[in-house]
Amino acid sequence: MSTKGREAAKIAAIIGGGAVVGAALGILLAPKSGAETRRDVARYAKRAQLQATRFGRSVKTGVSSMVERSRALVKKDDQKEAA
C-alpha cells in the first residue's frame, strides 16, 4: 500500500471511530425511553448488517474479477514465452 493509501486508511479509521463514539454517546444521552432506544438500536444494527453484507459481496466480486484478470494475463504471458 502506498503512503497516500495508508494516510487515507488512517483518516477513514479515525472518522469511523468518531462516528461509533458519537453514536454511543448519543444513545446514552438520548431523551428516549429504554424500549424506544433498544428498538432504534435493533433497527440500526439490522441496517448495518445488511450494508456490511452488501459491501462484502461487492468486495468478493471485485476480488474474483481481479483474480480472473490476473490469471488471463499470466496465461497470455505464458503463451508468449512458449512461442
Coordinates of all heavy atoms in Angstrom, one line a residue:
M1 N 0.9 -1.2 0.0 CA 0.0 0.0 0.0 C 0.9 1.2 0.0 O 1.9 1.3 0.7 CB -0.9 0.0 1.2 CG -1.9 1.1 1.2 SD -3.0 1.1 2.7 CE -3.9 -0.3 2.5
S2 N 0.5 2.2 -0.8 CA 1.3 3.4 -0.9 C 1.1 4.3 0.4 O 0.2 4.0 1.2 CB 0.9 4.2 -2.1 OG -0.4 4.7 -1.9
T3 N 2.0 5.3 0.5 CA 1.9 6.2 1.7 C 0.6 6.9 1.7 O 0.0 7.1 2.7 CB 3.1 7.2 1.6 OG1 4.3 6.4 1.5 CG2 3.1 8.1 2.8
K4 N 0.1 7.3 0.5 CA -1.1 8.0 0.4 C -2.3 7.1 0.8 O -3.2 7.5 1.4 CB -1.4 8.6 -1.0 CG -0.5 9.7 -1.3 CD -0.8 10.3 -2.7 CE 0.1 11.5 -3.0 NZ -0.1 12.1 -4.3
G5 N -2.2 5.8 0.4 CA -3.2 4.9 0.8 C -3.3 4.6 2.3 O -4.4 4.5 2.8
R6 N -2.1 4.6 2.9 CA -2.1 4.4 4.3 C -2.7 5.6 5.0 O -3.4 5.5 6.0 CB -0.6 4.2 4.8 CG -0.1 2.9 4.5 CD 1.3 2.6 5.1 NE 1.9 1.4 4.5 CZ 3.1 1.4 4.0 NH1 3.8 2.5 4.0 NH2 3.5 0.3 3.5
E7 N -2.3 6.8 4.5 CA -2.9 8.1 5.1 C -4.4 8.1 5.0 O -5.1 8.4 5.9 CB -2.3 9.3 4.4 CG -0.8 9.5 4.6 CD -0.5 9.9 6.1 OE1 -1.3 10.7 6.6 OE2 0.5 9.6 6.6
A8 N -4.9 7.7 3.8 CA -6.4 7.6 3.6 C -7.0 6.6 4.5 O -8.1 6.9 5.1 CB -6.7 7.3 2.2
A9 N -6.4 5.5 4.7 CA -6.9 4.4 5.6 C -6.9 4.9 7.1 O -7.9 4.7 7.8 CB -6.1 3.2 5.5
K10 N -5.9 5.6 7.5 CA -5.9 6.2 8.8 C -7.0 7.2 9.0 O -7.7 7.2 10.1 CB -4.5 6.9 9.1 CG -3.4 5.9 9.3 CD -2.1 6.7 9.6 CE -0.9 5.8 9.7 NZ 0.3 6.5 9.8
I11 N -7.2 8.1 8.1 CA -8.3 9.1 8.1 C -9.6 8.4 8.2 O -10.5 8.8 9.0 CB -8.2 10.1 7.0 CG1 -6.9 10.9 7.2 CG2 -9.4 11.0 6.9 CD1 -6.6 11.8 6.0
A12 N -9.8 7.4 7.4 CA -11.1 6.7 7.4 C -11.3 6.0 8.7 O -12.5 6.0 9.2 CB -11.1 5.6 6.2
A13 N -10.3 5.4 9.3 CA -10.4 4.8 10.6 C -10.8 5.8 11.7 O -11.6 5.5 12.5 CB -9.1 4.0 10.9
I14 N -10.2 6.9 11.6 CA -10.4 8.0 12.6 C -11.9 8.4 12.5 O -12.6 8.6 13.5 CB -9.5 9.2 12.5 CG1 -8.1 8.7 12.9 CG2 -9.9 10.4 13.2 CD1 -7.0 9.7 12.6
I15 N -12.3 8.7 11.3 CA -13.7 9.1 11.0 C -14.7 8.0 11.5 O -15.7 8.3 12.2 CB -13.9 9.5 9.6 CG1 -13.2 10.7 9.2 CG2 -15.4 9.6 9.2 CD1 -13.1 11.1 7.7
G16 N -14.4 6.8 11.1 CA -15.3 5.7 11.6 C -15.3 5.5 13.1 O -16.4 5.4 13.7
G17 N -14.2 5.6 13.7 CA -14.1 5.6 15.2 C -14.9 6.7 15.8 O -15.6 6.5 16.8
G18 N -14.8 7.9 15.3 CA -15.5 9.0 15.8 C -17.0 8.9 15.6 O -17.8 9.2 16.5
A19 N -17.4 8.3 14.5 CA -18.8 8.0 14.3 C -19.4 7.0 15.3 O -20.5 7.2 15.9 CB -19.1 7.5 12.9
V20 N -18.6 6.0 15.6 CA -19.0 5.0 16.6 C -19.1 5.6 18.0 O -20.1 5.4 18.7 CB -18.1 3.8 16.6 CG1 -18.3 2.9 17.8 CG2 -18.2 3.0 15.3
V21 N -18.1 6.4 18.4 CA -18.1 7.0 19.7 C -19.3 8.0 19.8 O -20.0 8.1 20.8 CB -16.8 7.8 20.0 CG1 -16.9 8.6 21.2 CG2 -15.7 6.7 20.1
G22 N -19.5 8.8 18.7 CA -20.6 9.7 18.7 C -22.0 9.0 18.8 O -22.9 9.5 19.5
A23 N -22.1 7.9 18.1 CA -23.4 7.2 18.2 C -23.6 6.6 19.6 O -24.7 6.7 20.1 CB -23.4 6.0 17.2
A24 N -22.6 6.1 20.2 CA -22.7 5.6 21.6 C -23.1 6.6 22.5 O -24.0 6.4 23.4 CB -21.4 4.9 22.0
L25 N -22.4 7.8 22.4 CA -22.8 8.9 23.3 C -24.2 9.4 23.1 O -25.0 9.7 24.0 CB -21.8 10.1 23.2 CG -20.4 9.9 23.7 CD1 -19.5 11.0 23.4 CD2 -20.5 9.7 25.3
G26 N -24.6 9.4 21.8 CA -26.0 9.8 21.5 C -27.0 8.9 22.1 O -28.1 9.3 22.6
I27 N -26.7 7.6 22.1 CA -27.6 6.6 22.7 C -27.7 6.8 24.2 O -28.8 6.7 24.8 CB -27.2 5.2 22.3 CG1 -27.5 4.9 20.8 CG2 -27.9 4.1 23.1 CD1 -26.9 3.6 20.3
L28 N -26.5 6.9 24.8 CA -26.5 7.1 26.3 C -27.2 8.3 26.8 O -27.8 8.3 27.8 CB -25.1 7.0 26.8 CG -24.3 5.7 26.6 CD1 -22.9 5.9 27.0 CD2 -25.0 4.6 27.5
L29 N -27.1 9.4 26.0 CA -27.7 10.6 26.4 C -29.0 11.0 25.8 O -29.5 12.1 26.0 CB -26.7 11.8 26.1 CG -25.3 11.6 26.8 CD1 -24.3 12.7 26.3 CD2 -25.4 11.6 28.3
A30 N -29.6 10.0 25.1 CA -30.9 10.3 24.4 C -32.0 10.4 25.4 O -32.1 9.8 26.4 CB -31.2 9.1 23.5
P31 N -33.0 11.3 25.1 CA -34.1 11.5 25.9 C -35.2 10.5 25.7 O -36.3 10.7 26.2 CB -34.6 12.9 25.6 CG -34.2 13.0 24.1 CD -32.9 12.3 24.0
K32 N -35.0 9.4 25.1 CA -36.0 8.4 24.8 C -36.0 7.4 25.9 O -35.0 7.2 26.7 CB -35.7 7.7 23.5 CG -35.8 8.5 22.3 CD -35.5 7.7 21.1 CE -35.6 8.5 19.8 NZ -35.3 7.7 18.6
S33 N -37.1 6.6 26.0 CA -37.2 5.5 27.0 C -36.3 4.4 26.6 O -35.8 4.3 25.4 CB -38.6 5.0 27.1 OG -39.0 4.3 25.9
G34 N -36.0 3.5 27.5 CA -35.2 2.3 27.2 C -35.7 1.5 26.0 O -35.0 1.0 25.2
A35 N -37.0 1.2 26.0 CA -37.6 0.4 25.0 C -37.5 1.0 23.6 O -37.1 0.4 22.6 CB -39.1 0.2 25.3
E36 N -37.7 2.3 23.5 CA -37.5 3.1 22.3 C -36.1 3.0 21.8 O -35.8 2.8 20.6 CB -38.0 4.5 22.4 CG -39.4 4.7 22.6 CD -39.8 6.2 22.8 OE1 -39.5 6.7 23.9 OE2 -40.3 6.8 21.9
T37 N -35.2 3.2 22.7 CA -33.7 3.2 22.4 C -33.3 1.8 21.9 O -32.6 1.7 20.9 CB -32.9 3.6 23.6 OG1 -33.3 4.9 24.0 CG2 -31.4 3.6 23.2
R38 N -33.8 0.8 22.6 CA -33.4 -0.6 22.2 C -34.0 -0.9 20.8 O -33.3 -1.5 19.9 CB -34.0 -1.6 23.2 CG -33.1 -1.7 24.5 CD -33.5 -2.8 25.3 NE -34.9 -2.7 25.8 CZ -35.3 -2.0 26.9 NH1 -34.4 -1.4 27.6 NH2 -36.6 -2.0 27.2
R39 N -35.2 -0.4 20.5 CA -35.8 -0.7 19.2 C -35.0 0.1 18.1 O -34.7 -0.5 17.1 CB -37.3 -0.2 19.2 CG -38.0 -0.5 17.9 CD -39.5 -0.1 17.9 NE -39.6 1.4 18.3 CZ -40.3 1.8 19.3 NH1 -40.9 1.0 20.2 NH2 -40.4 3.1 19.6
D40 N -34.6 1.3 18.4 CA -33.8 2.1 17.5 C -32.5 1.4 17.2 O -32.0 1.3 16.1 CB -33.6 3.5 18.0 CG -34.9 4.3 17.9 OD1 -35.8 3.9 17.3 OD2 -34.9 5.4 18.5
V41 N -31.8 0.9 18.3 CA -30.5 0.2 18.1 C -30.7 -1.0 17.3 O -29.9 -1.3 16.4 CB -29.9 -0.1 19.5 CG1 -28.7 -1.0 19.4 CG2 -29.5 1.2 20.2
A42 N -31.8 -1.8 17.5 CA -32.0 -3.0 16.8 C -32.2 -2.7 15.3 O -31.7 -3.4 14.4 CB -33.2 -3.8 17.3
R43 N -32.9 -1.7 15.0 CA -33.1 -1.3 13.6 C -31.8 -0.8 13.0 O -31.5 -1.2 11.8 CB -34.1 -0.1 13.5 CG -35.6 -0.5 13.8 CD -36.5 0.6 13.7 NE -37.8 0.3 14.0 CZ -38.8 1.1 14.4 NH1 -38.5 2.4 14.5 NH2 -40.0 0.7 14.7
Y44 N -31.0 -0.1 13.7 CA -29.8 0.4 13.2 C -28.8 -0.8 12.9 O -28.2 -0.9 11.9 CB -29.1 1.4 14.1 CG -27.7 1.8 13.7 CD1 -27.6 2.7 12.7 CD2 -26.6 1.2 14.2 CE1 -26.3 3.1 12.3 CE2 -25.3 1.6 13.8 CZ -25.2 2.5 12.8 OH -23.9 2.9 12.4
A45 N -28.8 -1.8 13.9 CA -28.0 -2.9 13.7 C -28.4 -3.8 12.5 O -27.5 -4.3 11.8 CB -28.0 -3.8 15.0
K46 N -29.7 -3.9 12.3 CA -30.1 -4.7 11.1 C -29.7 -4.0 9.8 O -29.2 -4.6 8.9 CB -31.7 -4.8 11.2 CG -32.3 -5.6 10.1 CD -31.8 -7.1 10.2 CE -32.5 -7.9 9.2 NZ -32.0 -9.3 9.1
R47 N -29.9 -2.6 9.8 CA -29.4 -1.9 8.6 C -27.9 -2.0 8.4 O -27.4 -2.2 7.2 CB -29.8 -0.4 8.7 CG -31.3 -0.2 8.4 CD -31.5 1.3 8.1 NE -31.1 2.2 9.2 CZ -31.8 2.6 10.2 NH1 -33.1 2.3 10.3 NH2 -31.3 3.4 11.2
A48 N -27.2 -1.9 9.4 CA -25.7 -2.1 9.4 C -25.3 -3.5 8.9 O -24.4 -3.6 8.1 CB -25.1 -1.8 10.7
Q49 N -26.0 -4.5 9.4 CA -25.8 -5.9 8.9 C -26.0 -6.0 7.4 O -25.2 -6.6 6.7 CB -26.6 -6.8 9.7 CG -26.4 -8.3 9.3 CD -27.4 -9.2 10.0 OE1 -28.4 -8.8 10.5 NE2 -27.1 -10.5 10.0
L50 N -27.1 -5.5 7.0 CA -27.4 -5.5 5.5 C -26.4 -4.8 4.7 O -25.9 -5.3 3.7 CB -28.8 -5.0 5.2 CG -30.0 -5.8 5.8 CD1 -31.3 -5.0 5.6 CD2 -30.1 -7.1 5.1
Q51 N -26.0 -3.6 5.1 CA -24.9 -2.9 4.4 C -23.6 -3.6 4.4 O -22.9 -3.7 3.4 CB -24.8 -1.5 5.0 CG -25.9 -0.6 4.7 CD -25.8 0.8 5.4 OE1 -25.0 0.9 6.3 NE2 -26.5 1.7 4.9
A52 N -23.2 -4.2 5.5 CA -22.0 -5.0 5.6 C -22.0 -6.2 4.7 O -21.1 -6.5 4.0 CB -21.7 -5.4 7.0
T53 N -23.2 -6.8 4.6 CA -23.3 -8.0 3.7 C -23.2 -7.6 2.3 O -22.5 -8.2 1.5 CB -24.7 -8.7 3.9 OG1 -24.8 -9.1 5.3 CG2 -24.9 -9.9 3.0
R54 N -23.8 -6.5 1.9 CA -23.7 -5.9 0.5 C -22.3 -5.6 0.2 O -21.8 -5.9 -0.9 CB -24.6 -4.7 0.3 CG -26.1 -5.1 0.3 CD -27.0 -3.9 0.1 NE -28.3 -4.2 0.3 CZ -29.2 -3.5 0.9 NH1 -28.8 -2.3 1.5 NH2 -30.4 -3.8 1.1
F55 N -21.6 -4.9 1.1 CA -20.3 -4.5 0.9 C -19.4 -5.7 0.8 O -18.5 -5.8 -0.1 CB -19.8 -3.6 2.1 CG -18.3 -3.2 2.0 CD1 -18.0 -2.2 1.0 CD2 -17.3 -3.7 2.7 CE1 -16.7 -1.8 0.9 CE2 -16.0 -3.3 2.6 CZ -15.7 -2.4 1.7
G56 N -19.6 -6.7 1.6 CA -18.8 -8.0 1.5 C -19.0 -8.6 0.1 O -18.0 -9.1 -0.5
R57 N -20.2 -8.7 -0.3 CA -20.4 -9.3 -1.7 C -19.7 -8.4 -2.8 O -19.2 -9.0 -3.7 CB -21.9 -9.3 -1.9 CG -22.6 -10.4 -1.1 CD -24.1 -10.4 -1.4 NE -24.8 -11.4 -0.6 CZ -26.1 -11.3 -0.2 NH1 -26.8 -10.3 -0.7 NH2 -26.6 -12.2 0.6
S58 N -19.8 -7.1 -2.6 CA -19.1 -6.3 -3.6 C -17.6 -6.5 -3.6 O -17.0 -6.6 -4.7 CB -19.4 -4.8 -3.3 OG -18.7 -3.9 -4.1
V59 N -17.0 -6.6 -2.4 CA -15.6 -6.9 -2.3 C -15.3 -8.2 -2.9 O -14.3 -8.4 -3.7 CB -15.1 -6.8 -0.9 CG1 -13.7 -7.3 -0.7 CG2 -15.2 -5.3 -0.4
K60 N -16.1 -9.2 -2.6 CA -15.9 -10.6 -3.2 C -15.9 -10.6 -4.7 O -15.1 -11.2 -5.4 CB -16.9 -11.5 -2.6 CG -16.7 -12.9 -3.1 CD -17.8 -13.9 -2.5 CE -17.7 -15.3 -3.1 NZ -18.8 -16.1 -2.6
T61 N -16.9 -9.9 -5.3 CA -17.0 -9.8 -6.7 C -15.8 -9.1 -7.3 O -15.2 -9.5 -8.3 CB -18.3 -9.0 -7.1 OG1 -19.4 -9.7 -6.5 CG2 -18.4 -8.9 -8.6
G62 N -15.3 -8.0 -6.7 CA -14.1 -7.3 -7.2 C -12.9 -8.1 -7.1 O -12.1 -8.1 -8.1
V63 N -12.7 -8.9 -6.0 CA -11.5 -9.7 -5.9 C -11.6 -10.8 -6.9 O -10.6 -11.1 -7.5 CB -11.4 -10.3 -4.4 CG1 -10.4 -11.4 -4.3 CG2 -11.1 -9.1 -3.5
S64 N -12.7 -11.4 -7.1 CA -12.9 -12.5 -8.1 C -12.5 -12.0 -9.5 O -11.9 -12.7 -10.2 CB -14.3 -13.1 -8.0 OG -14.6 -13.7 -6.8
S65 N -13.0 -10.8 -9.8 CA -12.7 -10.2 -11.1 C -11.2 -10.0 -11.3 O -10.7 -10.3 -12.3 CB -13.5 -8.9 -11.2 OG -13.1 -8.2 -12.4
M66 N -10.6 -9.5 -10.2 CA -9.1 -9.3 -10.3 C -8.4 -10.6 -10.5 O -7.4 -10.6 -11.2 CB -8.6 -8.5 -9.1 CG -9.0 -7.0 -9.1 SD -8.2 -6.3 -10.6 CE -7.1 -5.2 -9.8
V67 N -8.8 -11.6 -9.8 CA -8.1 -12.9 -9.9 C -8.3 -13.4 -11.3 O -7.3 -13.9 -11.9 CB -8.7 -13.9 -8.8 CG1 -8.3 -15.3 -9.1 CG2 -8.3 -13.5 -7.4
E68 N -9.4 -13.3 -11.9 CA -9.7 -13.8 -13.2 C -8.8 -13.0 -14.2 O -8.2 -13.6 -15.1 CB -11.1 -13.7 -13.6 CG -12.0 -14.7 -12.9 CD -11.6 -16.2 -13.1 OE1 -11.2 -16.5 -14.3 OE2 -11.5 -16.9 -12.2
R69 N -8.7 -11.7 -14.0 CA -7.9 -10.9 -14.9 C -6.4 -11.3 -14.8 O -5.7 -11.3 -15.8 CB -8.1 -9.4 -14.7 CG -9.4 -8.9 -15.3 CD -9.4 -7.4 -15.2 NE -10.4 -7.0 -14.3 CZ -10.5 -5.7 -13.8 NH1 -9.7 -4.8 -14.1 NH2 -11.5 -5.5 -13.0
S70 N -6.0 -11.5 -13.6 CA -4.6 -11.8 -13.3 C -4.3 -13.2 -14.0 O -3.3 -13.4 -14.6 CB -4.3 -11.9 -11.8 OG -4.5 -10.7 -11.2
R71 N -5.2 -14.1 -13.8 CA -5.0 -15.4 -14.5 C -4.9 -15.3 -16.0 O -4.1 -16.0 -16.6 CB -6.1 -16.4 -14.1 CG -6.1 -16.9 -12.7 CD -7.2 -17.9 -12.4 NE -7.1 -18.3 -11.0 CZ -8.1 -18.9 -10.4 NH1 -9.2 -19.1 -11.0 NH2 -7.9 -19.3 -9.1
A72 N -5.8 -14.5 -16.6 CA -5.7 -14.3 -18.0 C -4.4 -13.7 -18.4 O -3.8 -14.1 -19.5 CB -6.9 -13.4 -18.4
L73 N -3.9 -12.7 -17.7 CA -2.6 -12.1 -18.0 C -1.5 -13.1 -17.9 O -0.6 -13.1 -18.8 CB -2.4 -10.9 -17.1 CG -3.2 -9.6 -17.4 CD1 -3.0 -8.6 -16.3 CD2 -2.9 -9.1 -18.8
V74 N -1.5 -13.9 -16.9 CA -0.4 -14.9 -16.7 C -0.5 -15.9 -17.8 O 0.6 -16.3 -18.4 CB -0.5 -15.6 -15.3 CG1 0.4 -16.8 -15.2 CG2 -0.2 -14.6 -14.2
K75 N -1.7 -16.3 -18.2 CA -1.8 -17.3 -19.3 C -1.3 -16.7 -20.6 O -0.6 -17.3 -21.4 CB -3.3 -17.7 -19.4 CG -3.6 -18.8 -20.4 CD -5.0 -19.2 -20.4 CE -5.3 -20.3 -21.3 NZ -6.7 -20.7 -21.3
K76 N -1.7 -15.4 -20.8 CA -1.2 -14.7 -22.0 C 0.3 -14.6 -22.1 O 0.9 -14.8 -23.1 CB -1.9 -13.3 -22.1 CG -1.6 -12.6 -23.3 CD -2.4 -11.2 -23.3 CE -2.1 -10.4 -24.5 NZ -2.8 -9.1 -24.5
D77 N 0.9 -14.3 -20.9 CA 2.3 -14.2 -20.8 C 3.0 -15.5 -21.1 O 4.0 -15.6 -21.7 CB 2.7 -13.6 -19.5 CG 4.2 -13.2 -19.4 OD1 4.7 -12.6 -20.4 OD2 4.8 -13.5 -18.3
D78 N 2.4 -16.6 -20.5 CA 3.0 -17.9 -20.7 C 2.9 -18.3 -22.2 O 3.8 -19.0 -22.7 CB 2.2 -19.0 -19.8 CG 2.5 -18.8 -18.4 OD1 3.5 -18.2 -18.0 OD2 1.8 -19.4 -17.6
Q79 N 1.8 -18.0 -22.8 CA 1.7 -18.3 -24.3 C 2.8 -17.5 -25.1 O 3.3 -18.1 -26.0 CB 0.3 -18.0 -24.8 CG -0.8 -18.9 -24.2 CD -2.2 -18.5 -24.6 OE1 -2.4 -17.4 -25.1 NE2 -3.1 -19.3 -24.3
K80 N 3.0 -16.3 -24.7 CA 4.1 -15.5 -25.4 C 5.4 -16.2 -25.2 O 6.2 -16.2 -26.2 CB 4.1 -14.1 -24.9 CG 3.0 -13.2 -25.5 CD 3.1 -11.8 -25.0 CE 2.0 -10.9 -25.5 NZ 2.1 -9.5 -25.0
E81 N 5.7 -16.6 -24.0 CA 7.0 -17.2 -23.7 C 7.2 -18.5 -24.5 O 8.3 -18.9 -24.9 CB 7.2 -17.4 -22.2 CG 7.4 -16.1 -21.5 CD 7.6 -16.4 -20.0 OE1 7.6 -17.6 -19.6 OE2 7.6 -15.4 -19.2
A82 N 6.1 -19.3 -24.6 CA 6.1 -20.6 -25.3 C 6.4 -20.4 -26.8 O 6.9 -21.3 -27.4 CB 4.9 -21.4 -25.0
A83 N 5.9 -19.3 -27.3 CA 6.0 -19.1 -28.8 C 7.4 -18.7 -29.2 O 8.4 -18.5 -28.8 CB 5.0 -18.0 -29.2

